[in-house]
Structures are given as structure tokens and as C-alpha cells.
Amino acid sequence: MTQTIDRRSLLRAGAVGAAGLGFSGLFPAWAQSGSAGLAGSPGLAPQMPTLSGENIHLKIANTPFTVGGRTGHAVTMNGVLPAPLIRLREGQNVRLHVENTLDEDSSIHWHGLIVPFQMDGVPGVSFPGIKPHTTFVYEFPLLQSGTYWYHSHSGLQEQQGHYGPIVIDPAEPDPVAYDREHVIVLSDWTFLHPHQLVTKLKSEGGYFNRQRQTLFGMLRGGPEESMSASDRAMWGKMRMDPTDIADVTAATYTYLVNGHGPQENWTGLFRSGERVRLRFINAATMTIFNIRIPGLPMTVVSADGLNVRPVTVDEFQIGNAETYDVIIQPTEDKAFTLVAESIDRSGMARATLAPRMGMTAPVPPLRPRPTLTMRDMGMGSMDHSSMAGMDHGAMAGMDHGGSHSMGSMNMRDKSLVPDSVKVGVGVDAIAMSPVDRTGDPGVGLEDVGHKVLTYRDLMSLTPNPDTRPPQRTIEVHLTGNMERFMWSFDGEKFSEGVEPIRFERNERARVVLINDTMMTHPIHLHGHFFEVVNGHTGSYPRKHTVNVLPGGKVSLDLTADAPGDWAFHCHLLLHMHAGMFRVVTIRPLEGDAA
Ligand SMILES: [Cu+2]
């Protein structure tokens, strides 16, 4: 029911946007933001505050933040949300003076930047953090170019607005031609204190999932109606919930584009015929987005900051902390709506691309909510008929008898669990036959009737720098207990005593991530780019963050060339906070005896 109300109010917001053109003076100033792009143009300021040069000053502070007519408490940098755009040039040096005016520790991590580990900004791993009312100076050379971002790695500050974009211009001529560019920072805002989010999720894993399937819902209708009788019976038998796609939903979140809610309708300007570069950054803490611009194809030209061979799509899914640059070329004098639907389709971020301020395009309604499939449950290689024929006891040795809540399975037959996975209350399932899903477009996008990007579509524009085959393979299981909101690697949540994952310096290793849960986890390794093994040997896309689909496995080839201690974690903030985190240790350090 809540969902119906949310959807209606969103539609209403869209209608106001469309009808309100003539009297935009009625909107408060914050509702009228528009931009000519990063370069600006006469009469219109550049898109957002921009910091450049060798010395950059950032001040972390408590500030009010207003969206949808309501004001809440944010943690910002230089008083704005998102934080200022930091625009630098490949090959330069930068000193970033970060003043923490909070009464608690803070930090900044430069997401995707290749820096000495002491500059990586993860408290307790790479440095002690920035103490209250002190300044820390980060200093490093810029060894790369592209679209990146920065955010707090302390507590849950990122949820409170502590994030901003980074653009690094290439030293050599840019292989991507464009006439204009916009940065598109996507995020999720809540007026709840993030600790309240955690408390609610701990008390009931599906707290914010207002869309959960119930037996009543099944009878009443909804997407389950399109499921076969055997599917329905199977879901029921397993007491699992095929609509459990996101932990935190539009029930509490307002989805933002450049700090603007759907009603504020941030607008990016273009002139008809221009090639416009959109630099998408998913800075959300708990939201994976599906991006489309109805009526405009998008040509993906870079992923996680690095150039890829251009590939044209109608839609793409962007995990937390991923970035994609796309080129659009609108040839008509009309407005387009930029739609960023949350993966569970409980809500959307919305913006407008238009030749002039005040123009809008129709806002499409949220599409029907997706449901999980057998592949999402880690039964990808079993065909449907064999599933349907399975009896309860044979179901992968899991005992559902003692479970009364949906979405939970109790592990019984431990012989089926890999030795590396610690069995306990924190693990409610193991994917019995995980499959390579790099050719899949993402949960809910299998059947949308147009071209959706997959990882298999991505090929590095330049040959992979290290073509050595991996010397060894390690497996890391992504594990959890959804109902109890417990998240971990290999069944073990992070704590001081947990062993780091160790690599020899310059070792070439294959890391296989196996997702035993029914959620998509965007997994991030600091200090490195790894190759996503997707069939294009020698031209694998090199990324810092990879979405691992439910029941899926992804192989990453890693050259462990950055000595030091690095964070390795799920970029869903509350999953990381719950323990889906490890330290990766690469030795020897500079100066260590051989
Ligand atoms: Cu996760």
C-alpha cells in the first residue's frame, strides 16, 4: 500500500514539474537549479563549485540540507551536497588539506585513485583517521585520468552527504570527443539518522522492503501472478522472498541527482546536435540504480574511470561506487528525462536534459517491481524442471523446517559448504551452482525490451597491461543472513582478529567472488584496478568495483602491485558496516628486506 502512495506522489511530482513551467517563480531557489555543464556559459554558472590546482582545501562540517521542502542534518564538505567537484590533471601533484570541524573522527577516501596506501584514507587500515578539529594533508601524484569520486570512510558519514565527484583530465589528447559535459552524482538521502537505519534493519531485515511478497499478496495479484504454479510453490516451500531486492527503499529514501530530488528536477542543458558527455557516479550508500534516458541511446565510453570501446545501450545498471561515462547526442530541440530507477523500483532519481531551462519531458512511471529468479538463488545451472521435481529434503541440504520468517534458510548439510566458509548464524544460504553472470544485465533487467549493458559488453580501449596468467586462484564467498541483517565474507564478519587476505607484491592472482546471497553486492578493492574476466582475453575491462549478481560468480585477475594494506569490501555502506569487509595486505613494502 505504501508503494502505491509513493508511486502516486512521484507521478504527481512529475505532473507539477510539467505543468509548473509558467510559474517557476513559485519554486524556492533550490528547486530551480540547472546547469550549462562543467564549463558553464554566459548567464549560467558552472554546474557546481569546482576546486582545481595543486592545493585544495576541504572543510568537513555539520550543515543543514533541504530536499522536497524539508530540511535535515547533513555532513558536508565546504557546505555543499554533493561536495565540490575536484578537477585535476593527470601528471600533476595535489595536496588536499582536509579540516575536520566535527566532534567525531572523519576521513576522505579517494575512490578509484591509485595512491600510496597511507593516502588512501581508510581509518584503521591506511591511517588513523582525521581527529576532531584537526587538519590532515593528503598528498599524491595523479597517475590516471577519468571520472572518480571521494567520500568518508568513517562511521556512516557517507549516508549523511559526505561525498563528491572527481574528474581528472588526461595528459594526452582525450580519445573521447565531446562538446559539453555534465557530472551526474546519484545518491540516496534519508531524514533518518543512519544509526536508526541500522537499528531498524537489525530488528527486521526487510524493514524497508514495503514490497515484500506475502501469501495474501500472491493471491491478490502482482508480479507473482505471472509466475508459474511450480515457481510459486517453490518460493513458498523455501520460505524465501523473491521481492527482497533492496534493504533500504523509497519508503525512507529520496533519490538525488546532484543533490536534487525528483521534484527539484536538476536540469542539464545542451544544444541540439552536440555530443554531450555524462559522467555518472553512483555515490549512493545503499542503492543500485538502473539508468535510462527514454528516447536517447547512450554510448558508454568509460567504466570506473578507464576508457572502454564504445558500446551503445538503452539502459545500464550502476552499482554503488561504480562510474560510467556515456555520450549522448540529442538532435532535436526537446527535453529528455533522465531516469535512475532504484533496483527494487520503489522509487527513482529524476533529472532533465534540455536545450533551455524550464523545459521538461514526461516522467515514466516506475516499472513493475522485479522478482528474483532461480539464477538469483544460485541455482543457475539447474534447469527448471529438475528444480520443480526436487523434494524438500533434497533441496541442497538446507533445512527450512525451523524457519518461520521468509527469506531465511538454515544450513544443515555442512558437507556441501566449502571449507573456507565459516558456517554459523551469519550464513543463511550457499549458492549450490553459482554461474558466471557477466553476460546478464542485472536483476530485473532481463526482459525490458531494449539493450541493457552487461559486463561482457565492456572491452578495455587499450590492451591489458599485465597478460601473465594468474599464478593462483582464491575464492571469496559473499555471505549473509538477510533476516538478521548479517553480512560477511566467507561467513566471517570483519573484526580486528580476522586474517587479512595476503598477496605477494606483484603477484598475479585470480580472485573468484561467489555470491551466496540473493542480493547484488558491489565489491570494491582499494588501490588497484582488476580485470573483470569476461571472455575478452587481453582486453578485459579494468575496474575498481564490480557488481556480483545474486547466485553469480565473477573472476577478477589482479596484479598485486601496490604494497600496503588496502580495504576490500561491499560498497553497500550498511553491508560494509555489518562486516562484509577485509583487509588486503600486499608485501613486501618499499624498503622491506627481501
Ligand atoms: Cu553487500
Side-chain angles (χ1 to χ4, degrees):
M1 275 184 297
T2 313
Q3 184 217 349
T4 318
I5 292 164
D6 287 344
R7 189 178 294 193
R8 219 180 275 140
S9 61
L10 185 77
L11 292 174
R12 200 183 323 124
V16 168
L21 303 183
F23 45 94
S24 60
L26 295 179
F27 287 90
W30 47 261
Q32 296 173 11
S33 308
S35 165
L38 297 188
S41 76
L44 262 184
Q47 176 173 12
M48 48 180 75
T50 300
L51 304 173
S52 287
E54 301 239 316
N55 281 287
I56 285 176
H57 293 267
L58 292 165
K59 188 191 230 176
I60 302 167
N62 290 300
T63 36
F65 173 68
T66 301
V67 66
R70 189 173 163 199
T71 299
H73 164 248
V75 174
T76 62
M77 287 175 278
N78 296 7
V80 289
L81 187 164
L85 169 65
I86 298 178
R87 183 147 209 166
L88 304 168
R89 177 162 288 277
E90 183 182 6
Q92 76 162 93
N93 277 290
V94 68
R95 268 178 306 279
L96 299 125
H97 309 254
V98 181
E99 181 187 355
N100 176 16
T101 73
L102 306 177
D103 293 327
E104 62 188 41
D105 285 20
S106 192
S107 57
I108 297 180
H109 164 59
W110 317 98
H111 188 108
L113 299 198
I114 301 301
V115 299
F117 79 95
Q118 302 90 334
M119 296 292 138
D120 193 51
V122 181
V125 177
S126 42
F127 82 142
I130 310 175
K131 298 296 162 199
H133 310 286
T134 67
T135 295
F136 182 84
V137 183
Y138 294 84
E139 183 169 6
F140 47 85
L142 289 150
L143 307 175
Q144 62 200 109
S145 62
T147 303
Y148 302 93
W149 64 298
Y150 60 113
H151 62 84
S152 172
H153 231 289
S154 300
L156 300 173
Q157 289 165 2
E158 189 190 333
Q159 175 71 85
Q160 296 176 286
H162 187 308
Y163 47 79
I166 299 174
V167 172
I168 307 169
D169 292 304
E172 303 288 323
D174 199 324
V176 180
Y178 57 94
D179 305 303
R180 187 191 295 263
E181 59 185 329
H182 292 289
V183 164
I184 310 288
V185 179
L186 300 163
S187 62
D188 45 20
W189 171 261
T190 172
F191 288 96
L192 286 179
H193 190 279
H195 290 129
Q196 289 176 286
L197 283 185
V198 174
T199 305
K200 288 178 193 298
L201 286 164
K202 280 263 171 210
S203 65
E204 187 194 339
Y207 184 88
F208 295 101
N209 192 342
R210 303 298 191 195
Q211 306 181 331
R212 83 182 348 208
Q213 180 189 35
T214 59
L215 254 186
F216 178 67
M218 248 187 208
L219 297 171
R220 210 183 43 201
E224 308 81 29
E225 280 211 324
S226 60
M227 292 166 90
S228 69
S230 62
D231 268 354
R232 273 204 299 275
M234 187 203 64
W235 281 111
K237 221 182 215 179
M238 295 192 296
R239 299 170 180 278
M240 284 164 51
D241 183 348
T243 66
D244 229 339
I245 311 280
D247 298 311
V248 192
T249 71
T252 183
Y253 276 150
T254 303
Y255 301 109
L256 307 180
V257 174
N258 294 337
H260 293 67
Q263 297 175 58
E264 281 91 71
N265 187 27
W266 180 87
T267 299
L269 296 182
F270 65 81
R271 243 190 297 264
S272 172
E274 283 179 336
R275 285 170 58 87
V276 183
R277 181 177 196 156
L278 303 178
R279 298 174 179 271
F280 285 95
I281 299 163
N282 186 353
T285 58
M286 289 301 287
T287 308
I288 295 167
F289 289 104
N290 296 327
I291 313 286
R292 66 196 205 273
I293 306 171
L296 267 189
M298 301 176 281
T299 301
V300 176
V301 293
S302 91
D304 288 5
L306 302 186
N307 294 317
V308 294
R309 293 195 201 170
V311 52
T312 300
V313 300
D314 299 302
E315 182 163 8
F316 63 93
Q317 185 165 88
I318 184 169
N320 308 63
E322 289 188 304
T323 75
Y324 282 104
D325 289 17
V326 311
I327 299 288
I328 54 167
Q329 193 162 18
T331 53
E332 293 164 273
D333 188 58
K334 63 175 252 198
F336 296 87
T337 295
L338 191 164
V339 181
E341 235 174 26
S342 63
I343 187 173
D344 65 320
R345 299 183 184 152
S346 63
M348 66 166 78
R350 166 252 183 160
T352 296
L353 301 167
R356 289 173 299 284
M357 287 303 296
M359 294 174 77
T360 56
V363 180
L366 292 167
R367 294 174 296 188
R369 62 201 165 95
T371 49
L372 294 171
T373 63
M374 294 304 293
R375 279 162 90 75
D376 298 325
M377 293 178 41
M379 300 180 181
S381 63
M382 296 185 185
D383 73 30
H384 192 85
S385 51
S386 73
M387 276 312 306
M390 275 179 151
D391 71 49
H392 192 161
M395 178 62 88
M398 289 169 188
D399 174 17
H400 316 291
S403 164
H404 296 287
S405 51
M406 294 173 88
S408 97
M409 296 192 291
N410 296 323
M411 307 289 304
R412 190 175 58 183
D413 187 348
K414 295 191 164 97
S415 69
L416 293 165
V417 180
D419 288 344
S420 59
V421 176
K422 206 172 175 177
V423 178
V425 68
V427 180
D428 66 11
I430 290 287
M432 295 319 299
S433 35
V435 287
D436 176 348
R437 301 193 66 184
T438 53
D440 288 9
V443 169
L445 297 176
E446 298 85 359
D447 226 354
V448 288
H450 56 211
K451 171 62 190 166
V452 183
L453 184 74
T454 73
Y455 283 152
R456 214 163 282 171
D457 295 323
L458 296 174
M459 293 177 76
S460 174
L461 191 65
T462 51
N464 294 151
D466 190 348
T467 53
R468 290 178 295 162
Q471 296 154 273
R472 66 170 173 134
T473 297
I474 65 165
E475 267 186 19
V476 177
H477 284 254
L478 319 184
T479 44
N481 179 330
M482 271 200 195
E483 279 301 308
R484 302 177 68 147
F485 207 72
M486 298 169 76
W487 302 100
S488 55
F489 287 136
D490 290 334
E492 201 168 12
K493 77 178 232 186
F494 180 72
S495 68
E496 291 272 313
V498 173
E499 271 297 295
I501 300 172
R502 296 177 192 279
F503 294 101
E504 278 294 306
R505 187 169 177 186
N506 292 323
E507 177 184 2
R508 183 84 170 143
R510 176 162 292 182
V511 179
V512 182
L513 301 177
I514 297 169
N515 188 348
D516 290 319
T517 80
M518 293 195 299
M519 286 197 160
T520 303
H521 299 277
I523 303 296
H524 173 44
L525 173 63
H526 289 224
H528 295 80
F529 285 90
F530 45 73
E531 285 99 61
V532 178
V533 176
N534 67 347
H536 303 296
T537 311
S539 301
Y540 295 138
R542 301 178 67 223
K543 297 186 91 266
H544 50 59
T545 305
V546 64
N547 259 346
V548 190
L549 300 191
K553 62 177 175 187
V554 180
S555 294
L556 313 173
D557 281 356
L558 173 70
T559 300
D561 58 1
D565 294 330
W566 302 100
F568 171 63
H569 60 93
C570 179
H571 223 287
L572 293 167
L573 181 70
L574 303 184
H575 289 192
M576 176 179 79
H577 189 253
M580 211 175 203
F581 184 102
R582 279 292 184 282
V583 174
V584 162
T585 293
I586 299 174
R587 294 291 186 276
L589 300 177
E590 303 295 344
D592 277 4

